[in-house]
Amino acid sequence: MTDVQQTDSDQPIVRIFDTTLRDGEQSPGASLNRAAKLEIARKLERLGVDIIEAGFPITSNDDFEAVKAISGEVSECTVAGLARCVEKDILRAAEAVREARHPRIHVFCATSKIHREHKLKRAREEILKMSVEGVKLAKRFVEDVEFSPEDASRTEIDFLAEVVEATIAAGATTVNIPDTVGYTTPERFHQIITELRERVANIDQAVISVHCHNDLGLAVANSLSAILAGARQVECTINGIGERAGNAALEEIVMALKVRNDHYGATTRIETARLYPLSRTVASLTGISVQRNKAIVGRNAFAHEAGIHQHGVMQHAETYEIMRPEDVGVPASELVLGKHSGRHAFRDRLEQLGHRLNDEQIDEAFVQFKELADKKKEVFDEDIDAIVEGMITEVPVSWEIVSLQTTAGGGVIATATIRLRDVKQDRIVQDAATGDGPVDAVYSVIQRITGVTVKLKEYELRAITGGKEAQAEVLIKVQQNGRTVRGRAYSVDIVEASAKAYLNAINTMIALEGVSTEAPEGV
Ligand code: KIV
Ligand code: ZN
């Protein structure tokens, strides 16, 4: 295979291709604004991934702009933009990655019988031609072209080998073998990669990549099996987010290669101590929380409940721990700061949690931290994450809350009185309304004052830290004329967090007015 680096120990390096911002963002319920994508991209770069798939530029203006912004900012790793083997997709992807120091265009075309016949309605020869032409067109803009035969694991092996060989001949430098619907098994996938290596005459001119979905819970196992068979790039996402049941989890693949290096004999460039902080950033920015017992980054991953286990770990950690919490960046203690903590301690903790802010941002975060510390005695890591993530917004604020008062409970009709500032016109508007509970009353007033009518589709409330002084996080989804946007906010007061989240969504809705929501067909 081409250009597969070796480590000092002479082990091959498996390239980590992160698709959190593309396939991950396709997760039901996840959608990230440009600022959030940039924040994740910067952290992926620091984590040490080799390739960031930053988006699918043809799908929307937002996606295009996000890929462009990431291309302009990330310099240590390759930035890839996805495109179908369709001229307009490839031109758009080429434009989006133009400023990247290491640009890649990733073109794909479905090859399996079921996709050929029912989705693309094209014969094998046409698919082959589209794939080759797609690679050739992409190659006119960038040297680094990846080709994916979508649904490869359900494609007839002879046709798959033919397409792979033809696309490498056309200039593909990476050929990615996706298990698009999470159907394959570790044994079968090993065989597919082995057969491709045996049958495709020019296979040594490209890096073999794999891209596994988790419909049967086998995405990580399938990826690792492919590595044993010779794959040297894996496509994965932080926390395993992605279409349907998700993609292979980056942190699981990386730690399996590290902890079981004796078995896999391959390594990655990932700085594993950055895994946990990034997992939390992604959970928080996408609103998709990590299950408690999730391997590597779940809250319980290093918690020992049974007395016999606790005793064992205290005597010798390796009795029940195959890796140390610090190897993946789980902080030694969760309880951090209080109202007497100074700026220095606050800045140190920000760094430990993986937040790299400039001085101005630290000042802003510190003011918010002090306000929070006045309201609650103990400020936990999650509170600090929430402060930082609350700052990562680029939605222009049209309306902001000046004051909010509610009365509810004990047989009283819930009432809300709110004063909002109309930022553009610099005026204060006050109104009051009743509702079925305080949150409903608050939402009615906000709609009345702003004049923006939206339908509340989802409302999720969660405590982000423990105890009765926990900060609440409210995540909502609202809809207007077929467009759905998310709102998110934090506060120690549930009603205030609900109001802020709602206003956040309304501000987004106002900012998006006139922006198209169309997605291309056949994706
Ligand atoms: O799952 C899949 O097949 C994909 C391709 C675009 C690589 O996401
Ligand atoms: Zn996928």
Side-chain angles (χ1 to χ4, degrees):
M1 264 161 284
T2 55
D3 194 21
V4 170
Q5 297 92 338
Q6 306 284 314
T7 56
D8 292 346
S9 61
D10 246 20
Q11 287 192 345
I13 290 190
V14 174
R15 294 175 184 189
I16 298 295
F17 176 115
D18 180 275
T19 183
T20 306
L21 299 175
R22 200 279 296 170
D23 224 341
E25 212 226 359
Q26 286 175 218
S27 304
S31 93
L32 296 162
N33 65 28
R34 199 187 318 162
K37 285 187 182 175
L38 259 174
E39 172 70 4
I40 294 174
R42 287 189 202 107
K43 289 186 173 176
L44 285 169
E45 185 180 28
R46 265 178 268 139
L47 179 71
V49 306
D50 299 277
I51 302 108
I52 295 175
E53 185 163 58
F56 192 173
I58 195 71
T59 53
S60 71
N61 239 354
D62 280 356
D63 232 45
F64 172 80
E65 292 297 341
V67 177
K68 199 164 165 296
I70 292 168
S71 298
E73 195 147 327
V74 163
S75 61
E76 294 295 309
C77 41
T78 298
V79 179
L82 184 67
R84 293 169 299 180
C85 286
V86 170
E87 187 178 355
K88 64 175 183 194
D89 284 36
I90 296 171
L91 298 185
R92 199 79 175 135
E95 177 59 20
V97 297
R98 196 160 52 90
E99 281 170 31
R101 189 160 159 213
H102 307 289
R104 174 180 292 191
I105 300 179
H106 175 191
V107 288
F108 72 98
C109 184
T111 49
S112 65
K113 187 165 186 287
I114 189 159
H115 278 236
R116 291 194 312 261
E117 289 177 359
H118 299 282
K119 188 175 88 169
L120 298 174
K121 303 191 175 20
R122 288 179 197 248
R124 278 185 179 204
E125 306 71 52
E126 291 173 284
I127 298 288
L128 186 64
K129 189 162 175 276
M130 275 173 74
S131 305
V132 167
E133 282 173 2
V135 170
K136 283 189 175 159
L137 179 58
K139 202 75 183 174
R140 298 224 307 251
F141 300 98
V142 291
E143 178 45 39
D144 186 353
V145 173
E146 171 170 333
F147 174 74
S148 289
E150 191 189 6
D151 205 16
S153 56
R154 292 193 300 171
T155 301
E156 306 88 323
I157 190 75
D158 58 336
F159 183 52
L160 182 61
E162 190 181 348
V163 174
V164 166
E165 188 161 334
T167 50
I168 295 175
T173 41
T174 301
V175 281
N176 177 45
I177 308 302
D179 180 31
T180 303
V181 290
Y183 180 73
T184 201
T185 60
E187 297 75 18
R188 175 70 192 132
F189 209 40
H190 189 283
Q191 199 184 347
I192 291 174
I193 302 301
T194 306
E195 280 198 45
L196 288 176
R197 292 186 70 192
E198 285 166 3
R199 284 173 180 231
V200 175
N202 55 4
I203 197 74
D204 58 341
Q205 290 168 33
V207 173
I208 301 178
S209 167
V210 289
H211 173 115
C212 297
H213 279 269
N214 205 29
D215 299 66
L216 292 174
L218 292 172
V220 170
N222 289 336
S223 306
L224 291 168
S225 177
I227 289 170
L228 284 176
R232 290 293 174 259
Q233 175 180 290
V234 275
E235 304 200 352
C236 42
T237 59
I238 299 290
N239 298 340
I241 62 169
E243 280 276 12
R244 307 180 308 278
N247 289 60
L250 181 150
E251 60 279 2
E252 294 179 24
I253 293 176
V254 167
M255 290 313 289
L257 292 178
K258 184 168 175 162
V259 174
R260 294 308 313 275
N261 188 262
D262 59 323
H263 181 63
Y264 292 106
T267 185
T268 70
R269 271 186 271 264
I270 297 297
E271 270 190 47
T272 61
R274 294 187 185 273
L275 287 169
Y276 183 71
L278 184 47
S279 155
R280 288 190 347 177
T281 300
V282 169
S284 174
L285 291 176
T286 56
I288 302 177
S289 36
V290 174
Q291 84 203 47
R292 287 187 90 92
N293 61 329
K294 161 96 177 54
I296 317 295
V297 291
R299 259 170 182 270
N300 291 358
F302 295 95
H304 302 278
E305 187 71 20
I308 193 166
H309 287 205
Q310 287 174 356
H311 181 71
V313 168
M314 276 155 68
Q315 302 298 314
H316 187 73
E318 279 173 36
T319 49
Y320 288 99
E321 278 183 2
I322 58 166
M323 57 201 142
R324 294 169 309 166
E326 58 266 37
D327 292 341
V328 299
V330 172
S333 120
E334 285 215 322
L335 173 62
V336 272
L337 307 168
K339 69 176 179 184
H340 300 297
S341 308
R343 190 178 181 282
H344 194 71
F346 180 67
R347 200 188 52 202
D348 282 355
R349 197 65 191 173
L350 281 174
E351 266 168 29
Q352 281 167 12
L353 292 173
H355 301 301
R356 249 203 350 213
L357 306 184
N358 61 33
D359 283 348
E360 205 181 308
Q361 289 169 320
I362 294 176
D363 287 343
E364 189 187 331
F366 188 60
V367 170
Q368 291 190 38
F369 158 72
K370 281 289 183 189
E371 280 169 14
L372 185 63
D374 276 342
K375 291 186 196 152
K376 71 200 289 276
K377 269 205 296 290
E378 294 161 337
V379 178
F380 292 85
D381 292 346
E382 288 87 345
D383 294 317
I384 296 177
D385 290 342
I387 290 173
V388 175
E389 273 124 35
M391 287 166 48
I392 305 165
T393 171
E394 60 177 19
V395 176
V397 177
S398 301
W399 292 92
E400 64 188 17
I401 296 177
V402 178
S403 65
L404 161 70
Q405 237 184 350
T406 53
T407 44
V412 182
I413 295 175
T415 313
T417 307
I418 303 184
R419 299 177 81 208
L420 294 185
R421 183 192 312 281
D422 177 346
V423 177
K424 280 185 205 135
Q425 306 201 18
D426 195 21
R427 61 186 180 120
I428 306 273
V429 187
Q430 174 170 325
D431 206 342
T434 56
D436 299 334
V439 174
D440 187 45
V442 163
Y443 287 2
S444 297
V445 189
I446 293 179
Q447 294 214 30
R448 269 196 350 216
I449 297 181
T450 60
V452 181
T453 311
V454 292
K455 203 171 169 120
L456 184 67
K457 300 297 287 181
E458 275 175 34
Y459 175 95
E460 196 185 330
L461 168 71
R462 57 177 192 231
I464 60 166
T465 51
K468 60 181 180 354
E469 289 173 322
Q471 271 212 97
E473 177 182 27
V474 172
L475 282 156
I476 58 161
K477 265 196 206 159
V478 300
Q479 211 175 49
Q480 186 195 51
N481 302 331
R483 168 178 275 140
T484 305
V485 304
R486 293 193 314 142
R488 187 171 55 126
Y490 305 90
S491 172
V492 283
D493 182 305
I494 292 170
V495 179
E496 185 179 296
S498 305
K500 284 182 169 171
Y502 198 65
L503 209 52
N504 177 235
I506 286 197
N507 281 329
T508 308
M509 211 50 112
I510 294 171
L512 287 174
E513 251 163 34
V515 179
S516 158
T517 53
E518 274 173 34
E521 285 166 23
V523 173

